[in-house]
């Protein structure tokens, strides 16, 4: 079990510790960027943990090519892609391959808001199998909602725990897939109680 610290935090279900943060400013153009932020076209803006930071594009899978290039120019090592339904599998494969071609690691997030076409664990599991079979190298996927206290498609904390556990059972053996828990927002005051409720409901964070 490990924590990923940044604006958001998730528990990795399968690997040793590291630090990952998500940066939105990497996608800001020079014309619109505040004076206090670096030029997105310039080189690395940090020295020791750049490769453990990344970009959340906040858009559907397969971001514009410039987003991957800017992420690398900033010295970052990660990018998040969002899939919304089973039909996004081919676009997700393309997005992961684009990222890998630029030495970026990928986190796959699913859905937004209160509805999700991947809500059925069997459907999401097949989606991940389809993606994993078509890429070279590893990728990461979130086993539930992003900010589950706000995105309610998996239900309450007990429902989210059940969904996460169901996904562990279904995809834990895929060799090139790394599992992440639902993502928790550090700025949300109820995160600690939500997490505790998931634990009480049997969430298998240690797996």
């Amino acid at each position: 079990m490990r924590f990923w610290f940044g604006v958001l935090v998730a528990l990795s279900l399968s690997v040793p510790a590291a630090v990952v943060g998500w940066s939105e400013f990497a996608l800001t153009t020079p014309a619109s960027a505040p004076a206090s932020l670096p030029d997105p076209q310039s080189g690395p803006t940090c020295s020791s943990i750049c490769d453990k930071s990344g970009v959340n594009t906040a858009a559907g899978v397969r971001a514009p090519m410039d987003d991957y290039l800017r992420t690398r120019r900033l010295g970052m090592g990660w990018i998040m892609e969002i899939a919304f339904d089973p039909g996004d599998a081919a676009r997700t494969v393309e997005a992961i391959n684009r990222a890998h071609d630029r030495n970026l690691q990928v986190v796959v997030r699913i859905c937004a808001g209160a509805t999700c076409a991947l809500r059925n664990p069997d459907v999401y599991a097949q989606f991940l199998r389809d993606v994993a079979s078509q890429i070279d190298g590893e990728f990461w996927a979130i086993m539930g909602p992003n900010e589950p206290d706000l995105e309610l498609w998996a239900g309450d904390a007990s429902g989210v725990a059940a969904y996460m556990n169901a996904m562990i059972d279904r995809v834990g053996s895929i060799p090139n897939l790394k599992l992440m828990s639902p993502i928790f927002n550090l700025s949300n005051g109820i995160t600690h109680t939500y997490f505790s409720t998931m634990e009480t409901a049997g969430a298998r964070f240690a797996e």
Side-chain angles (χ1 to χ4, degrees):
M1 178 177 69
R2 87 171 179 187
F3 286 99
W4 280 23
F5 292 99
V7 176
L8 303 178
V9 63
L11 297 177
S12 164
L13 303 172
S14 55
V15 296
V19 179
V20 173
W22 299 110
S23 171
E24 300 285 354
F25 73 76
L27 303 183
T28 307
T29 63
S32 60
S36 59
L37 296 181
D39 181 342
Q41 306 295 341
S42 64
T45 58
C46 57
S47 57
S48 61
I49 62 167
C50 273
D51 63 344
K52 295 180 176 64
S53 64
V55 169
N56 176 3
T57 63
V61 285
R62 201 179 64 183
M65 195 67 75
D66 282 352
D67 291 355
Y68 303 95
L69 297 175
R70 289 172 184 168
T71 303
R72 286 309 304 159
R73 287 189 186 113
L74 287 165
M76 294 178 174
W78 297 76
I79 192 163
M80 179 181 282
E81 304 282 355
I82 308 175
F84 290 94
D85 61 61
D88 284 336
R91 290 170 63 88
T92 302
V93 169
E94 183 177 352
I96 293 172
N97 287 334
R98 283 185 178 184
H100 284 175
D101 286 346
R102 289 156 183 82
N103 296 315
L104 296 171
Q105 297 294 319
V106 178
V107 174
V108 175
R109 165 190 164 183
I110 57 170
C111 304
T115 61
C116 182
L118 296 163
R119 180 176 181 175
N120 184 323
D122 290 326
V123 174
Y124 185 26
Q126 187 58 54
F127 172 88
L128 291 174
R129 290 188 201 101
D130 291 343
V131 170
S133 68
Q134 298 178 67
I135 65 165
D136 293 325
E138 297 176 343
F139 71 107
W140 301 68
I142 300 170
M143 300 293 104
N146 177 67
E147 299 183 70
D149 54 312
L150 301 176
E151 298 186 9
L152 305 178
W153 56 261
D156 60 11
S158 296
V160 172
Y163 185 92
M164 186 184 81
N165 290 347
M167 290 305 303
I168 293 171
D169 291 336
R170 286 161 173 77
V171 302
S173 62
I174 297 176
N176 59 338
L177 172 63
K178 300 296 185 180
L179 311 186
M180 290 179 63
S181 78
I183 292 181
F184 303 95
N185 191 333
L186 290 177
S187 65
N188 191 326
I190 71 165
T191 291
H192 66 292
T193 56
Y194 194 100
F195 178 78
S196 296
T197 302
M198 285 186 66
E199 281 193 310
T200 301
R204 288 149 49 194
F205 290 117
E207 297 182 33

